[in-house]
DNA sequence: CGGCACTTTCAGTATTTTCTGAAACAACTG
DNA sequence: CAGTTGTTTCAGAAAATACTGAAAGTGCCG
């Protein structure tokens, strides 16, 4: 074990070294957990880890600091940060007398999940709904009414319709959660809490 | 329902061949869509496709029929079917005078999504919540009250707590949707519909 | 038993996804 | 401007994930 907490050089990777060991370890742990979660949520592990790091330290970090702390390449860091910024999960910041770009994470958990929900809806639900509608049209457009009498078509259409209807409902729920006011889910929680 | 026009010849893949072409194509399309969705939902494509096929044809199929229709290997079919059965999305069925096992898909969309939600919650939310609690304990157990005064620890704990609290809320929402009665989501939808 | 008929398992392979590293690019600074 | 510092891109490498096919397993039936 090192003699004491490391005191860093005047230059680069610094403040982290001054953190109490437990804190630093807890941060690392959180980063791993969140990274793992990203995996199962369709968010690349590294991207999730960067977000986790910025969230948990709640202090703007620059690319080099992030690279060092997570042991990742510059390319990876850059790509992930861009994506996080596009999503709106991190914002850029600057420090006087420093040309580097610093990144800071959104701190409101509601907002974080609203953003994630929005992106997932956009990438996962919307295209599927569109595809399902097209699929449905193939066997049921008014135009092709004739075909509806072929055996099995009707039942097929019913199944498709049930599915579509359900997903549309989920979709509109998500929509409300995502919506600017963001009242939707809060409300649902309150009501459900009482109702059950 | 006396389902149909189906000529059973002694060898395998039969009934499908008599389907109207549009229907068969619509089924294939649905299978692809659903398979794609599986991908983004963390469900292996093949597993999702098998489920889609069984759902949309709504008629028990055996392993060989599934293999033929989806062009997949026996191993893959077997593994996916086992998983689907474990989840409760498909059930086994038998036909008189046929030693093969037939599989049939759950047809109630609510139930389908309840099952998927349950599994995802089990695989994704629960472990993360547990891990987060452990992580939190590292910097906040009563035992280690002393450490709470080190710089930054308190703020760190606050952030962790916010996150945990939020996820627990989501978790309990999911719980209610999953619960046997399954009233939860239906209710939420109704209330939200009025409220917004 | 012994031969089928069918199902499951698993090591190896293929495919998809993500990361690296270096070069191109962009933007300040003196 | 020319040098420096910092950021982005992208082809290839690596890792993660899913699939195949054949062999092993299971259980029925005569």
């Amino acid at each position: 074990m090192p003699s004491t907490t490391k005191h860093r050089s005047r230059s680069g990777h610094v403040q982290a070294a001054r953190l109490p060991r437990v804190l630093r370890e807890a941060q690392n742990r959180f980063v791993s957990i969140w990274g793992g979660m990203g995996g199962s949520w369709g968010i690349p592990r590294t991207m999730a880890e960067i977000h986790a790091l910025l969230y948990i330290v709640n202090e703007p970090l620059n690319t080099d600091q992030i690279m060092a702390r997570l042991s990742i390449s510059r390319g990876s860091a850059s790509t992930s940060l861009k994506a996080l910024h596009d999503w709106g999960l991190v914002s850029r910041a600057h420090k006087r007398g420093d040309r580097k770009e610093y990144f800071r994470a959104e701190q409101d958990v509601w907002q974080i999940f609203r953003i994630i929900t929005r992106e997932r809806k956009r990438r996962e639900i919307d295209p599927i709904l569109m595809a399902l509608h097209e699929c449905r049209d193939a066997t049921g457009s008014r135009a092709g009414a004739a075909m509806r009498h072929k055996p099995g078509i009707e039942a097929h259409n019913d199944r498709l319709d049930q599915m579509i209807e359900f997903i549309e409902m989920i979709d509109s729920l998500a929509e409300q959660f995502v919506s600017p006011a963001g009242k939707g889910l809060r409300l649902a929680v309150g009501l459900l809490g009482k109702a059950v």
Side-chain angles (χ1 to χ4, degrees), chain A:
Chain A
M1 60 172 68
S3 47
T4 40
T5 323
K6 238 181 338 193
H7 284 259
R8 80 307 120 47
S9 76
R10 275 263 176 251
S11 48
H13 6 126
V14 184
Q15 71 281 53
R18 325 193 73 113
L19 294 175
R21 161 168 279 131
V22 270
L23 179 50
R24 174 166 255 262
E25 269 163 19
Q27 290 177 343
N28 289 343
R29 204 152 164 187
F30 178 75
V31 166
S32 296
I33 295 169
W34 205 246
M37 201 194 72
S40 54
W41 280 61
I43 296 164
R45 162 175 274 280
T46 301
M47 180 169 156
E49 287 194 343
I50 293 176
H51 175 251
L53 177 62
L54 292 172
Y55 173 80
I56 204 62
V57 306
N58 190 25
E59 176 181 333
L61 299 181
N62 64 40
T63 305
D64 291 283
Q65 292 171 319
I66 293 169
M67 286 166 57
R69 182 87 187 251
L70 302 179
S71 307
I72 58 174
S73 70
R74 187 169 299 282
S76 191
S78 170
T79 304
S80 297
L81 282 166
K82 180 169 191 319
L84 286 167
H85 187 253
D86 289 348
W87 281 32
L89 283 173
V90 311
S91 51
R92 297 174 198 273
H94 293 276
K95 295 196 174 180
R96 298 221 163 282
D98 189 342
R99 281 169 56 189
K100 280 190 168 61
E101 238 170 353
Y102 285 74
F103 300 90
R104 136 197 324 283
E106 168 66 50
Q107 285 287 317
D108 175 1
V109 287
W110 284 83
Q111 182 60 14
I112 290 173
F113 281 89
R114 229 174 271 132
I115 289 172
I116 293 176
T117 303
R118 184 188 66 210
E119 291 300 320
R120 299 202 73 185
K121 169 169 147 45
R122 203 167 54 69
R123 292 191 313 170
E124 295 169 17
I125 303 186
D126 295 348
I128 268 123
L129 218 35
M130 209 163 64
L132 283 177
H133 272 121
E134 278 173 27
C135 181
R136 175 60 175 78
D137 287 346
T139 52
S141 62
R142 253 139 258 299
M147 78 173 45
R148 247 178 295 170
H149 300 107
K150 294 212 179 189
I153 293 273
E154 225 156 335
H156 167 92
N157 284 344
D158 286 349
R159 284 190 287 277
L160 227 37
D161 287 340
Q162 281 186 9
M163 188 62 84
I164 289 174
E165 200 181 326
F166 183 89
I167 297 180
E168 277 176 342
M169 188 214 69
I170 294 285
D171 187 63
S172 82
L173 258 191
E175 190 68 61
Q176 289 179 25
F177 174 44
V178 162
S179 81
K183 289 277 184 356
L185 188 53
R186 231 181 265 265
L187 181 57
V189 176
L191 292 168
L192 277 175
K194 275 180 200 132
V196 176

